[in-house]
Amino acid sequence: FSAHLTNVSHIVHHFSFGDIEAQERVENGGWKGIPSKFVQSLHPLDGNVYVTSGLHQAYHHHMRVVTTEFEHSHLIKWAGETVRRVYRILSNTQLSTYRTSIVPEAKFEYDLSPIAMSYLEVSRNWYDYSTGLLAIIGGCFTVIGMLESSVALFSKGNRYYL
């Protein structure tokens, strides 16, 4: 066996974590509010070709797996079933060069993130929205009134000193 003739070029057809059916439901447009980058992060290595051009080279794939949970959302229901959890992958791929005595190897390493993301749909009532809007308008009116009275005080020619 000759270590210098080892070629570890590869194609990643599919690489993901968790329930494949839940991921397919998210991908196939069940929820219009999901950003496209979110869907791409479910399996970022899919369809990529990794070709080593030199001797003693190999790709190392480092992945961080982040749990993403959906809670009580009306937007993510499909066929009476709710997707509760999918796993996003944050990947980093680098080309490594080996010494001549070591056989190159393609590595797939993953780390489970201790932090999980949670999407919770919360709706606001119309009166909460209108109360907030009126509070902003009232606050602006108050600040403008204070600025106006300060400008009027300093623009007067008569100043009283104690």
Side-chain angles (χ1 to χ4, degrees), residues 54-75:
L55 297 176
H56 307 289
Q57 293 179 340
Y59 281 97
H60 292 185
H61 307 280
H62 304 280
M63 294 162 281
R64 171 143 309 196
V65 181
V66 180
T67 304
T68 305
E69 295 180 350
F70 298 99
E71 298 179 14
H72 308 297
S73 178
H74 300 290
L75 297 174

Side-chain angles (χ1 to χ4, degrees), residues 1-7 102-104:
F1 180 73
S2 185
H4 69 279
L5 296 177
T6 303
N7 184 355
I102 298 176
V103 178

Side-chain angles (χ1 to χ4, degrees), residues 14-67:
H14 182 75
F15 194 95
S16 65
F17 290 88
D19 184 15
I20 192 73
E21 292 177 7
Q23 290 180 7
E24 287 176 356
R25 287 188 195 117
V26 170
E27 291 170 16
N28 294 332
W31 185 26
K32 304 296 182 204
I34 294 179
S36 62
K37 291 197 177 206
F38 178 85
V39 174
Q40 292 171 356
S41 70
L42 295 176
H43 40 75
L45 299 177
D46 284 8
N48 291 339
V49 178
Y50 300 96
V51 178
T52 57
S53 58
L55 297 176
H56 307 289
Q57 293 179 340
Y59 281 97
H60 292 185
H61 307 280
H62 304 280
M63 294 162 281
R64 171 143 309 196
V65 181
V66 180
T67 304

Side-chain angles (χ1 to χ4, degrees), residues 6-10 50-62 92-100 102-109:
T6 303
N7 184 355
V8 290
S9 299
H10 56 279
Y50 300 96
V51 178
T52 57
S53 58
L55 297 176
H56 307 289
Q57 293 179 340
Y59 281 97
H60 292 185
H61 307 280
H62 304 280
N92 180 17
T93 300
Q94 57 185 330
L95 184 62
S96 298
T97 303
Y98 287 80
R99 293 188 307 240
T100 57
I102 298 176
V103 178
E105 57 187 4
K107 288 185 180 180
F108 291 85
E109 298 175 347

Side-chain angles (χ1 to χ4, degrees), residues 81-94:
E81 185 178 328
T82 303
V83 174
R84 294 286 179 190
R85 180 178 296 148
V86 292
Y87 298 93
R88 298 176 66 187
I89 300 173
L90 306 173
S91 67
N92 180 17
T93 300
Q94 57 185 330

